[in-house]
Amino acid sequence: LFTENTMGILDRHNPKEPLFLFHSFHLLHTPLQIPEDWEEKFAWIDNDVRRKYAAMVHYMDHVVGQIVAKLKSKKMWENTLVVMSSDNGGPTYNLVGIGAGAASNLPLKGGKMSDWEGGIRVNALVSGGAIPPSKRGTKLDDYI
């Protein structure tokens, strides 16, 4: 549903006009659910919840690829700045009524629902054609 909406916005957008687009992934939350054909790609992972979580992350990556491909096909990529960030560390809990979170934030302690670094420090990235060539592929080991 969210992906269809985003793709529709991009389909209808005039590439000569500026666009601010926010696409939020609600997928990577409990309950851990993913179609079987996506989960089967990770059959080598023995732990059921870790397998589902890996498949969910893989699906998210697939959707990001679709969005990037659409931006490129509309010649919008060179003027695009993509910012990706998480709202919290990965879920490491196993709560009644919610289930297992299945993430790992190692080497950090804790995860979602905790104040430890594993719960509050997250990865982030910027991408897109709007990134100056001299900055592409660089890494910042600092707070953003």
Side-chain angles (χ1 to χ4, degrees):
L1 199 59
F2 291 100
T3 303
E4 288 176 21
N5 184 61
T6 293
M7 299 305 266
I9 290 168
L10 292 174
D11 282 336
R12 293 183 302 275
H13 183 71
N14 177 355
K16 294 180 190 285
E17 297 292 325
L19 173 68
F20 175 82
L21 178 64
F22 182 86
H23 183 96
S24 181
F25 286 96
H26 294 86
L27 173 72
L28 296 175
H29 290 89
T30 53
L32 303 181
Q33 298 173 329
I34 190 80
E36 282 185 32
D37 55 328
W38 285 90
E39 187 175 346
E40 287 172 1
K41 296 174 184 179
F42 296 89
W44 52 271
I45 300 176
D46 292 330
N47 183 299
D48 180 53
V49 292
R50 301 275 311 181
R51 183 175 53 252
K52 285 184 188 319
Y53 196 75
M56 292 162 70
V57 171
H58 181 63
Y59 178 77
M60 183 183 72
D61 187 57
H62 170 76
V63 171
V64 170
Q66 288 180 308
I67 294 169
V68 169
K70 178 64 73 177
L71 289 165
K72 287 181 177 180
S73 75
K74 293 200 64 166
K75 309 286 190 246
M76 295 170 66
W77 182 250
E78 290 306 314
N79 292 318
T80 294
L81 175 65
V82 174
V83 179
M84 294 185 72
S85 180
S86 180
D87 55 352
N88 47 253
T92 57
Y93 51 71
N94 191 359
L95 302 173
V96 175
I98 294 178
S104 172
N105 300 306
L106 293 174
L108 304 177
K109 180 179 181 177
K112 181 177 181 172
M113 300 178 154
S114 81
D115 291 331
W116 296 105
E117 286 194 352
I120 61 173
R121 287 183 61 186
V122 298
N123 293 320
L125 70 89
V126 294
S127 185
I131 303 291
S134 65
K135 294 295 182 183
R136 295 178 188 175
T138 61
K139 180 179 175 184
L140 175 67
D141 287 321
D142 209 341
Y143 297 109
I144 59 167

